[in-house]
């Protein structure tokens, strides 16, 4: 049995201080190597790191709606040996950075301070205004503690307890890794790293007390986005069901009076409409807003209705009836809001009033006028009503509503969804303000989630997944068909592979009676993450590497890798038939 220390060591193999910073759960302090930006631009960043160990570090804070470059704390931190030469970083583990083979160490001294210890070395650091500080570490002063203020200031003092600080940080991480799921041997190292990502991305959000939010990334995405919370909870459930439930609670806590759930819960409040944004962003959103709704009215901003799906997943591993009933009341009201508040043309099928509410905001299906009637939204609404019906039968109709009413609404929505099928092209197509959108995008696969499609539709979608001219690329599934004129292998939601959309297609294949194809795609998805060296935000479908502009150490990619790895670690009942999807190339060494 792999223990917590071994798992921490496995995760440490990926802590390169370029794609994965040194940080601590609940902390807003991030430590990178000082030349991170240059290395991150290189295709072979891992090889560059191995060839040239870091000798200088850079410290940032992690803040909502601010990029790292705007959050410098220390521009350069160097540990020097007795000869005055900079000591290289020789090892990084979740709890410690070692310099010069152990001549000095850097750890956390609580969430907002760094402790540096060593004998016969000196520590010097430069802050953004150019001021440089140097401290000699001696037998009398063997360690220094650097306190990072909320205003990005740095205050230092001698530390009398470096051993205790190191032990406390190690204990915190070992407690976290003790919860890490144990999966198939070839996936365990990446699962450990993904579990580190989830722990590293825990922050405190002052607007909601001491709740622990697992954010998408401390690198640029510091907030709890609604559907990120759902995907992250699905992965967390395998090791920390309590923290998984907490993510759903945060997403549900600020529902509007009409039932609408906000897009984001962040450290300053929530983002639920265009009125919650700065004036310039508000005007831009209003210009892009609905052609049916009042263009001068606030534009609601939310995320797709996957709440009941996530709730059901979390409850599979640890039942919590009273808690579930409380959440179901919120989900039911949210589902009702979609039909009452987002059916902008009154035809019975809700629309996306703004691309932000889809989560796939740069998809070409939103290049035309709004609102957008999208097959993914129709599928999610059917799935959510079916899940609410099942949960109502399990926990009672008082919270979740009448099961028959949910099933009746699901049937009506499904009928409208089937009307979006175009037999000539064998695809589900979106509509922009009532006009058909020709984009061949991944949203067309989401109706598989309903488990209710006629077999010819299922067959056509499976054929599309296997078609090398469309979706059967070396690393699948691209978010836009390679045959579509808007396809781009690197541009967000216009071609790159995302772990969350792959996971939803896997769920859809399973629901539509194709468990062998579902498992095959799950294998390809975890292989993609391993090949790319980590759970990045999105991936190039031709190379299987991180897309250039994608964020690293991304929460839902990490969580869903764990979800898929756990599932794949349970052998199928019988050997699957030959794969019908294309075979990817061997992982890049």
């Amino acid at each position: 049995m792999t223990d917590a220390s071994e798992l921490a060591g496995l995760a440490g193999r990926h802590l390169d201080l370029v794609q994965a910073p040194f940080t601590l759960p609940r902390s807003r302090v991030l430590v990178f190597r000082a030349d991170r930006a240059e290395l991150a631009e290189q295709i072979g960043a891992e090889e560059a790191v191995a060839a040239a160990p870091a000798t200088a570090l850079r410290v940032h804070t992690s803040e909502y709606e601010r990029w790292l470059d705007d959050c410098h704390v220390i521009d350069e931190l160097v540990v020097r040996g007795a000869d005055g030469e900079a000591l290289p970083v020789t090892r990084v583990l979740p709890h410690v950075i070692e310099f010069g083979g152990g001549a000095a160490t850097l750890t956390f001294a609580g969430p907002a301070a760094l402790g540096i210890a060593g004998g016969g070395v000196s520590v010097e650091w430069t802050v953004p205004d150019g001021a440089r500080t140097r401290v000699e570490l001696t037998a009398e002063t063997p360690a220094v503690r650097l306190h990072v203020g909320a205003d990005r200031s740095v205050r230092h003092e001698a530390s009398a307890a470096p051993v205790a600080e190191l032990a406390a940080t190690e204990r915190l991480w070992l407690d976290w890794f003790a919860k890490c799921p144990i999966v198939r041997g070839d996936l365990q190292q990446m699962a450990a790293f993904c579990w580190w990502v989830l722990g590293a991305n825990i922050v405190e959000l002052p607007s909601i007390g001491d709740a622990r939010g697992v954010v998408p990334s401390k690198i640029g995405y510091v907030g709890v986005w609604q559907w990120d919370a759902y995907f992250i909870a699905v992965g967390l459930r395998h090791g920390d069901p309590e923290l998984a439930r907490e993510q759903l609670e945060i997403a549900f806590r600020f529902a509007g009076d009409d039932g609408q759930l906000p897009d984001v819960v962040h450290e300053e409040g929530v983002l639920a409409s265009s009125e919650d944004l700065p004036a310039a962003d508000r005007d831009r959103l209003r210009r892009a807003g609905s052609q049916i709704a009042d263009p001068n009215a606030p534009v609601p901003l939310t995320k797709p209705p996957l709440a009941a799906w996530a709730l059901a997943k979390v409850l599979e591993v640890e039942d919590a009836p009273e808690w579930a009933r409380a959440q179901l009341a919120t989900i039911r009201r949210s589902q009702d809001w979609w039909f009452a508040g987002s059916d902008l043309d009154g035809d019975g099928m809700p629309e996306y009033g703004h691309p932000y509410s889809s989560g796939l905001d740069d998809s070409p299906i939103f290049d035309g006028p709004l609102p957008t009637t999208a097959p993914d939204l129709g599928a999610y609404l059917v799935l959510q009503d079916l899940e609410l019906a099942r949960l109502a039968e399990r926990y009672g109709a008082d919270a979740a509503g009448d099961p028959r009413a949910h099933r009746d609404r699901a049937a009506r929505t499904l009928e409208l969804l089937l009307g979006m099928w175009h037999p000539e092209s064998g695809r589900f197509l979106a509509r922009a303000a009532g006009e058909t959108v020709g984009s061949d995008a991944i949203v067309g696969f989401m109706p598989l989630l309903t488990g209710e499609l006629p077999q010819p539709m299922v067959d056509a979608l499976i054929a599309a997944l296997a078609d090398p001219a469309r979706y059967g690329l070396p690393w699948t599934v691209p978010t836009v068909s390679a045959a579509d004129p808007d396809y781009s292998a690197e541009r967000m939601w216009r071609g790159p592979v995302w772990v969350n959309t792959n996971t939803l297609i896997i769920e859809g294949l399973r629901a539509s009676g194709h468990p062998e194809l579902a498992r095959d795609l799950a294998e390809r998805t975890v292989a993609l993450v391993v090949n790319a060296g980590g759970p990045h935000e999105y991936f190039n479908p031709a190379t299987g590497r991180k897309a250039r502009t994608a964020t690293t150490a991304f929460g839902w990619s990490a969580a869903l890798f764990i979800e898929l790895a756990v599932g794949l670690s349970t052998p199928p009942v019988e050997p699957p038939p030959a794969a019908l999807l294309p075979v990817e190339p061997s992982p890049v060494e």
Side-chain angles (χ1 to χ4, degrees):
M1 178 65 71
T2 305
D3 66 16
S5 181
E6 290 176 295
L7 292 166
L10 291 175
R13 298 179 187 180
H14 295 270
L15 302 186
D16 58 8
L17 306 181
V18 177
Q19 298 184 120
F22 185 68
T23 189
L24 190 73
R26 295 180 179 261
S27 177
R28 295 300 188 92
V29 177
L30 305 175
V31 180
F32 293 95
R33 53 186 291 165
D35 55 353
R36 170 189 181 267
E38 292 79 5
L39 286 171
E41 288 294 320
Q42 300 177 26
I43 298 298
E46 301 94 328
E47 292 78 8
V49 171
T55 55
L57 303 178
R58 170 174 270 184
V59 181
H60 298 259
T61 52
S62 179
E63 303 175 29
Y64 177 66
E65 289 292 278
R66 290 185 182 275
W67 298 110
L68 284 179
D69 288 345
D70 299 325
C71 302
H72 291 190
V73 175
I74 294 174
D75 284 343
E76 190 174 73
L77 186 153
V78 178
V79 177
R80 298 189 182 279
D83 59 0
E85 293 296 315
L87 296 178
V89 171
T90 50
R91 190 163 72 142
V92 182
L93 291 171
H95 71 287
V96 66
I97 297 175
E98 294 181 356
F99 300 84
T105 60
L106 182 150
T107 190
F108 273 86
L114 298 171
I116 307 166
V121 303
S122 62
V123 183
E124 61 182 49
W125 62 93
T126 306
V127 295
D129 66 5
R132 182 181 294 270
T133 303
R134 181 185 179 97
V135 174
E136 300 287 340
L137 300 185
T138 65
E140 293 76 24
T141 309
V144 64
R145 187 183 296 138
L146 307 182
H147 294 271
V148 178
D151 59 354
R152 304 189 205 117
S153 61
V154 179
R155 174 176 61 85
H156 74 280
E157 63 182 3
S159 171
V163 175
E165 290 168 355
L166 185 61
T169 303
E170 183 176 21
R171 183 74 264 156
L172 189 154
W173 275 114
L174 289 178
D175 288 346
W176 177 251
F177 280 104
K179 301 176 181 179
C180 179
I182 304 302
V183 297
R184 207 171 67 194
D186 61 314
L187 302 177
Q188 189 63 71
Q189 180 175 314
M190 184 54 68
F193 179 44
C194 288
W195 195 249
W196 175 88
V197 168
L198 294 174
N201 284 345
I202 297 173
V203 304
E204 292 181 348
L205 300 169
S207 65
I208 52 175
D210 61 355
R212 300 168 297 168
V214 182
V215 301
S217 174
K218 284 183 178 175
I219 309 171
Y221 291 96
V222 187
V224 177
W225 273 257
Q226 186 193 143
W227 76 330
D228 291 74
Y230 301 154
F231 295 128
I232 287 170
V234 166
L236 279 173
R237 71 189 175 121
H238 295 293
D240 196 336
E242 180 182 357
L243 187 57
R245 291 193 296 269
E246 198 165 342
Q247 304 320 295
L248 301 185
E249 289 174 2
I250 294 171
F252 299 158
R253 187 176 301 189
F254 297 96
D257 292 340
D258 57 2
Q260 181 206 332
L261 292 172
D263 185 356
V264 191
V265 178
H266 55 81
E267 60 196 37
E268 299 171 8
V270 301
L271 174 62
S273 87
S274 55
E275 298 303 293
D276 297 325
L277 290 169
D281 288 344
R282 198 161 56 237
D283 289 343
R284 179 169 55 84
L285 284 180
R286 187 173 288 124
R287 288 195 297 273
S290 170
Q291 303 298 303
I292 293 173
D294 180 356
N296 295 313
V299 179
L301 301 178
T302 185
K303 279 293 183 281
L306 287 167
W309 171 78
L311 180 71
K313 290 279 191 183
V314 169
L315 292 169
E316 283 178 2
V317 299
E318 187 174 278
D319 199 10
E322 291 306 315
W323 177 84
R325 291 184 186 100
Q327 313 316 313
L328 282 168
T330 300
I331 296 172
R332 181 181 66 176
R333 293 180 61 245
S334 170
Q335 179 79 342
D336 290 344
W337 173 82
W338 278 100
F339 289 91
S342 204
D343 179 10
L344 301 174
D345 59 6
D347 68 349
M349 174 67 87
E351 296 90 26
Y352 290 126
H354 192 274
Y356 278 18
S357 295
S358 75
L360 284 71
D361 38 279
D362 201 32
S363 172
I365 70 168
F366 298 110
D367 287 353
L370 294 168
T372 300
T373 309
D376 62 326
L377 178 55
Y380 301 148
L381 291 167
V382 172
L383 176 62
Q384 181 135 289
D385 265 325
L386 294 176
E387 289 285 9
L388 283 169
R390 288 189 283 265
L391 291 165
E393 290 168 346
R394 179 175 173 183
Y395 295 107
D398 289 347
D402 179 6
R404 181 177 298 177
H406 285 301
R407 288 197 171 92
D408 287 347
R409 185 164 61 185
R412 294 193 299 272
T413 308
L414 178 63
E415 184 177 357
L416 293 170
L417 176 61
L418 295 177
M420 299 175 70
W421 178 257
H422 285 243
E424 302 84 7
S425 61
R427 298 190 261 146
F428 284 95
L429 294 177
R431 296 193 298 269
E435 297 297 321
T436 299
V437 176
S439 298
D440 190 1
I442 202 165
V443 295
F445 291 105
M446 298 311 159
L448 288 167
L449 287 163
T450 67
E452 299 287 344
L453 299 184
Q455 193 58 46
M457 294 184 185
V458 175
D459 293 343
L461 294 176
I462 289 174
L465 286 172
D467 185 349
R470 293 174 65 196
Y471 291 96
L473 301 192
W475 298 92
T476 198
V477 178
T479 41
V480 170
S481 163
D484 192 280
D486 289 313
Y487 169 80
S488 169
E490 291 277 324
R491 186 174 171 184
M492 179 185 288
W493 296 123
R494 287 178 179 253
V497 180
W498 292 68
V499 178
N500 70 322
T501 47
N502 270 22
T503 299
L504 291 172
I505 293 173
I506 290 164
E507 292 273 313
L509 288 169
R510 192 177 296 125
S512 297
H514 290 274
E516 72 289 347
L517 287 180
R519 190 176 181 94
D520 185 57
L521 182 53
E523 291 281 10
R524 298 173 189 284
T525 303
V526 296
L528 171 65
V529 176
V530 172
N531 176 76
H536 308 305
E537 186 180 13
Y538 48 94
F539 306 79
N540 184 306
T543 67
R545 309 300 286 180
K546 182 182 88 70
R548 186 180 60 83
T549 56
T551 294
T552 61
F554 197 69
W556 81 35
S557 298
L560 294 175
F561 179 92
I562 290 169
E563 162 75 2
L564 297 176
V566 169
L568 290 169
S569 299
T570 303
V573 175
E574 56 186 36
L580 299 182
L581 296 178
V583 177
E584 75 275 11
S586 298
V588 176
E589 294 297 327

